[in-house]
Amino acid sequence: MRASQSVIPSSLAELQCYVDDPALIFAAMDARSSNLLWRVILLWVAMGVRLSWHKGKLGSTMDWIGVHFEVVYERDRAEGVRVTLPQEKCADMVVQIDPILSCGPTVPKAPVRKLAGRASWVGGFLPQLRPFVQMLWAALAQRNSAAVLHQQQL
């Protein structure tokens, strides 16, 4: 990915990669951006990267690593990006949280660990959540051998 980033001015585009799933986002799609896009694609092909052409998408919206991204326009000008988590993932988190809240004074570590993992994924898109996720991981990291946490640790 570093080689790809070297052929794209950071003022024109951003390249992110999650494991083997790159996302190349341009500030605007004009002739120069199109040229840069093809430059990156040709570099990847020359390096032997096997591309999933059916996943490629041009436009102001995209689904990437389980999240929906949409450019928000105001008066024909891009003003920001709206990030939306799928409804089923949000519902799954609620299903994970409810039993933890109803456990009483002690909570088994396993469901808290599962929730912390899912919440860490969400924290990658919603930085405001990260301090709360860190508290879950801190509670899980305490050096007691008990398979439960006390509610006040959460």
Side-chain angles (χ1 to χ4, degrees):
M1 285 302 123
R2 290 194 187 273
S4 305
Q5 289 171 326
S6 70
V7 299
I8 306 168
S10 61
S11 61
L12 298 177
E14 183 74 32
L15 176 64
Q16 295 291 322
C17 189
Y18 183 79
V19 185
D20 65 347
D21 201 355
L24 185 57
I25 298 99
F26 289 92
M29 203 60 211
D30 54 15
R32 184 169 184 201
S33 297
S34 181
N35 183 321
L36 291 171
L37 171 63
W38 282 109
R39 196 182 301 181
V40 171
I41 290 172
L42 290 172
L43 174 65
W44 290 344
V45 170
M47 292 173 60
V49 174
R50 292 189 343 217
L51 299 173
S52 295
W53 294 101
H54 67 280
K55 286 185 174 182
K57 177 160 170 94
L58 288 175
S60 60
T61 66
M62 76 172 184
D63 293 317
W64 181 60
I65 63 172
V67 179
H68 182 75
F69 295 88
E70 177 182 3
V71 177
V72 177
Y73 292 95
E74 192 168 303
R75 289 183 234 114
D76 295 333
R77 186 181 137 104
E79 292 294 324
V81 176
R82 179 179 297 122
V83 179
T84 309
L85 300 175
Q87 188 65 35
E88 62 273 5
K89 294 214 186 228
C90 294
D92 287 348
M93 286 187 72
V94 170
V95 168
Q96 287 178 318
I97 292 169
D98 283 343
I100 292 171
L101 294 177
S102 63
C103 277
T106 59
V107 179
K109 284 184 177 180
V112 175
R113 188 173 293 111
K114 187 174 180 180
L115 175 64
R118 175 68 55 94
S120 293
W121 173 77
V122 175
F125 306 103
L126 184 63
Q128 297 84 349
L129 184 63
R130 290 180 190 160
F132 303 101
V133 176
Q134 288 172 347
M135 290 190 297
L136 291 175
W137 287 117
L140 289 164
Q142 291 184 1
R143 294 187 179 249
N144 64 24
S145 60
V148 296
L149 297 170
H150 294 281
Q151 279 260 339
Q152 66 262 26
Q153 290 175 288
L154 302 175

